Amino acid sequence: MQKQGLYKRQGLTEAELAEIEQLALLCNTHDGLDLKLNWNILRSRPSEQTNDFLYYAAGQLVGYLALFSFNAQEAELSGMVHPDQRRRGIFSTLLQEAKRECEQRNIPNILLIVEQASAAGQAFVKKQPVQYHHSEYKMVLTKVRVPSTFDAYLQFRAARLEDATTIAQITAQAFGMPENEVDWYGKNLMEQQSTRRYYVGVLDGAVIGKIEVVLGVEEAIIYGFAVSPAYRGRGYGRQMLARTIQAIQETGQQHIALEVATENKHALSLYQSCGFKETGGYD
């Protein structure tokens, strides 16, 4: 029987991933976009949690919405609808199911990720009971620029299990999160995967900064970059970023990207100084 209507998934099959990728390629080509779908996460969804919502018409995937929850306080939603199937209530159906899932999981806040260049996406959110929160740039590395000198006392290394508590504290401080909710580093550092890397900057034996990497097939994504407030403005962040770029390139991956809030001028300047360039924007 042909698939028809809404399907909720706990984990995605290879066939479903291929359908999502095909739909994303079609939408990106039609609209001139670079949809934010976090492919590395989609390929390793937990099998006990509903995070993916698919909509079919006569056996063809025509709508898709992904739910990403990186902490207990909020979920991020990103999705798409086939250009020939828009204005038929498909995305509204997907959104309602995702909202129900967030309610069941007691997630209080939802962020809708909408490409600034997406006319269809921007028109949709204008009709929703939502408020603008913030914008981010996607940046890609176009030309590596490293500091002329490195502080000999700043050590850069892979994170260890004993670093988990300090890394959680730095993350909570940097991203305005309750420290008791940043509880994933211990487990992640014990079960490190080949596609995920965690690095720290160490000064006089103390961890002063952390940076994370997801190694994908198409590109590597840098995220979760933070330096303790007491050590900012001394060039340590730029040195850590440069070392991270070198570590990624040593794996053979030359395509490197990251995201940064548009109002974070300091971080934007830092990334630009190391050779990153804005390629798109998300609201």
Side-chain angles (χ1 to χ4, degrees):
M1 293 178 62
Q2 289 185 330
K3 291 181 179 179
Q4 183 69 36
L6 176 73
Y7 289 75
K8 298 184 287 185
R9 286 288 181 257
Q10 294 182 329
L12 294 165
T13 66
E14 288 299 323
E16 289 165 342
L17 284 166
E19 290 177 320
I20 294 168
E21 192 168 1
Q22 184 177 14
L23 180 59
L25 177 61
L26 190 154
C27 292
N28 282 337
T29 302
H30 181 273
D31 298 320
L33 303 176
D34 180 14
L35 289 165
K36 182 179 178 181
L37 291 174
N38 298 322
W39 289 104
N40 291 289
I41 297 176
L42 296 189
R43 293 187 177 100
S44 58
R45 287 295 212 184
S47 59
E48 72 281 358
Q49 197 175 69
T50 301
N51 288 305
D52 299 283
F53 306 84
L54 295 80
Y55 198 99
Y56 290 84
Q60 180 186 9
L61 181 68
V62 296
Y64 172 66
L65 187 146
L67 187 159
F68 306 100
S69 183
F70 302 109
N71 62 73
Q73 291 302 306
E74 67 183 23
E76 297 183 6
L77 304 182
S78 181
M80 57 192 167
V81 173
H82 190 294
D84 296 339
Q85 298 285 337
R86 294 172 183 171
R87 298 181 179 274
R88 300 183 184 184
I90 292 174
F91 199 82
S92 294
T93 299
L94 294 169
L95 179 59
Q96 283 302 119
E97 286 301 320
K99 288 168 67 177
R100 289 192 186 98
E101 178 65 21
C102 290
E103 289 171 2
Q104 291 175 5
R105 283 154 62 174
N106 296 315
I107 300 174
N109 301 302
I110 297 175
L111 291 176
L112 300 180
I113 302 172
V114 187
E115 286 74 5
Q116 293 175 344
S118 172
Q122 294 290 344
F124 178 84
V125 294
K126 285 181 180 177
K127 297 179 181 178
Q128 305 303 312
V130 297
Q131 291 181 324
Y132 171 80
H133 190 271
H134 74 282
S135 297
E136 295 179 353
Y137 289 129
K138 179 177 181 179
M139 305 184 76
V140 298
L141 186 67
T142 56
K143 183 179 180 181
V144 180
R145 302 190 186 101
V146 300
S148 55
T149 60
F150 286 87
D151 190 318
Y153 295 99
L154 180 67
Q155 180 187 4
F156 177 80
R157 61 166 172 80
R160 302 167 184 158
L161 184 57
E162 58 264 30
D163 301 322
T165 300
T166 304
I167 293 175
Q169 292 171 345
I170 293 172
T171 300
Q173 281 183 319
F175 299 104
M177 300 164 61
E179 192 174 317
N180 64 334
E181 291 183 6
V182 186
D183 58 358
W184 55 82
Y185 285 109
K187 183 175 184 295
N188 290 356
L189 290 171
M190 280 193 299
E191 303 174 359
Q192 285 203 45
Q193 303 173 14
S194 60
T195 57
R196 292 180 180 270
R197 306 288 172 87
Y198 303 86
Y199 299 104
V200 293
V202 182
L203 192 67
D204 296 329
V207 173
I208 65 163
K210 42 81 71 170
I211 192 165
E212 304 171 39
V213 176
V214 172
L215 292 170
V217 176
E218 294 86 11
E219 63 184 5
I221 305 293
I222 293 174
Y223 69 104
F225 181 24
V227 175
S228 292
Y231 295 92
R232 294 173 188 169
R234 305 187 195 182
Y236 297 137
R238 188 161 186 255
Q239 292 178 56
M240 287 181 59
L241 181 60
R243 293 294 195 196
T244 302
I245 292 169
Q246 291 173 341
I248 292 171
Q249 292 181 326
E250 287 171 3
T251 70
Q253 179 58 270
Q254 303 301 312
H255 300 285
I256 304 173
L258 53 81
E259 293 166 357
V260 58
T262 56
E263 69 269 18
N264 192 341
K265 302 303 182 184
H266 178 74
L268 184 61
S269 176
L270 169 63
Y271 297 140
Q272 290 170 336
S273 73
C274 286
F276 285 89
K277 183 179 179 181
E278 305 100 279
T279 60
Y282 307 95
D283 293 335

